Amino acid sequence: MGGLCSKPAADGQPVKAEVVKAEAVSKTDVVKEEVAKAVETATDAVKDTVKGADALAKADEPAAAEGKTAAEGEAVVAENATPAVTAATEEAAPASDTVAVAATTTAPAKPLKVFLIFYSTYGHILKLAETYKEALEKEEGVEVAIYQVPEILSPEVLEKMHAPPKSAHPVIDPHTLDQADAFVFGFPTRFGMMASQMKSFFDATGVLWQKGALHGKPASMFTSTASQGGGQETTIMTAVTQLAHHGMIFVPAGYAAGGVMFGVDEAKGGSPWGAGTLAGADGSRQPSEAELEAAQVQAKNFATIAKKLAA
């Protein structure tokens, strides 16, 4: 993006676009002069021939006797001049091509770096997060890094809750958030608001808030609740306050998923605020195909919008 400059290319070699362009333009000017001279010479020859034909006509000597009319003379001269003009033009063509290449030679576009950050107790959010990540990675020019936030409950408490072991995804360092261009946050509900583990993570971003390091960066969210009335909308709605204080841009899911969201033949999570799943009262229900599809559509649309905002 931007104009021509001598910046490192993707392979580490400098792109000397300005030098190439200058050399190509210089060569083009020389060729143009040669073409102009050839055309001028041909024109003079045509004029001389026409003058000669006029003189013959005045002398009442049939042009046919000489085997050439004035028009034929012009044709002959033009024919003789054509090779020179053609050769000069062909020589000019590569130079013009070089200028065009030089003008379009720029450093490779920087990929959109997305941090997908989640907290999952029983694996429902984990499933949505990995599905969301796969969908994002299918979009051109998007680079995704997935992280989980630190657990604040003790192993003893998690055992009593019958929570499964944590995934192998790395734990996010809140101080590295400024390295990303866009964010996706996933977390389950706790009484209609984000889980305390995710809130604790946001509470640790004070230094970035003071610097305004996340200002203007887009973010999207998804959630999980036990039931349809358990906070599918309010959990994300109340979480937007975290983005607002950082000056971040919230990108909702809307109804882009279409019929998947409107169908009422089965219970499912999700809302225009963001994708979601229903875990059931005992946590045994896993994300349905419809819920995963809605998450994929949200990911695709988020990538499109985030790239526009980052451009």
Side-chain angles (χ1 to χ4, degrees):
M1 303 191 309
L4 294 169
C5 57
S6 299
K7 292 184 178 179
D11 57 1
Q13 297 299 321
V15 179
K16 299 182 179 178
E18 292 290 353
V19 176
V20 173
K21 179 180 179 182
E23 293 176 350
V25 171
S26 177
K27 183 175 181 182
T28 302
D29 292 340
V30 173
V31 174
K32 285 181 178 179
E33 290 181 6
E34 294 179 356
V35 172
K37 289 179 180 179
V39 172
E40 183 179 358
T41 301
T43 302
D44 291 340
V46 170
K47 290 179 179 180
D48 291 341
T49 302
V50 172
K51 288 180 180 179
D54 289 342
L56 289 174
K58 289 179 180 180
D60 203 24
E61 294 179 7
E66 296 295 325
K68 295 187 179 74
T69 63
E72 289 174 334
E74 293 179 13
V76 170
V77 173
E79 182 180 355
N80 292 335
T82 298
V85 175
T86 301
T89 303
E90 290 177 348
E91 185 175 353
S96 299
D97 292 341
T98 303
V99 173
V101 172
T104 57
T105 302
T106 58
K110 177 185 175 184
L112 179 77
K113 181 179 288 187
V114 180
F115 277 11
L116 196 161
I117 304 169
F118 72 94
Y119 172 73
S120 185
T121 306
Y122 294 104
H124 302 84
I125 289 294
L126 171 62
K127 178 63 176 178
L128 283 179
E130 292 177 339
T131 299
Y132 205 116
K133 177 177 181 290
E134 291 176 1
L136 278 177
E137 291 176 330
K138 291 180 181 179
E139 300 302 309
E140 183 178 358
V142 178
E143 179 182 296
V144 188
I146 186 170
Y147 300 96
Q148 57 185 326
V149 301
E151 178 60 80
I152 61 176
L153 296 178
S154 67
E156 292 76 19
V157 171
L158 291 172
E159 183 178 0
K160 291 179 179 179
M161 293 172 61
H162 305 288
K166 296 298 179 183
S167 69
H169 295 302
V171 174
I172 185 69
D173 177 353
H175 301 100
T176 64
L177 292 185
D178 56 353
Q179 298 175 11
D181 303 310
F183 302 89
V184 179
F185 299 103
F187 40 83
T189 189
R190 295 294 185 267
F191 297 112
M193 300 178 69
M194 67 169 60
S196 56
Q197 288 84 348
M198 183 61 72
K199 182 61 170 65
S200 177
F201 162 75
F202 273 108
D203 288 346
T205 61
V207 174
L208 296 176
W209 168 75
Q210 289 179 326
K211 296 179 180 179
L214 306 182
H215 193 88
K217 297 188 177 185
S220 193
M221 300 180 180
F222 58 89
T223 190
S224 172
T225 65
S227 64
Q228 285 183 301
Q232 285 288 316
E233 293 187 85
T234 60
T235 302
I236 296 178
M237 186 189 306
T238 54
V240 172
T241 59
Q242 311 299 310
L243 307 184
H245 280 262
H246 276 290
M248 300 171 76
I249 302 172
F250 174 56
V251 181
Y255 283 92
V260 173
M261 298 182 68
F262 288 108
V264 294
D265 55 332
E266 63 175 330
K268 55 180 174 289
S271 74
W273 291 85
T277 186
L278 303 178
D282 58 359
S284 61
R285 182 183 182 278
Q286 294 299 309
S288 67
E289 290 300 318
E291 292 168 340
L292 295 177
E293 181 180 342
Q296 292 169 340
V297 173
Q298 180 180 340
K300 177 180 177 64
N301 290 337
F302 176 69
T304 300
I305 296 172
K307 284 191 288 186
K308 290 180 179 179
L309 292 173

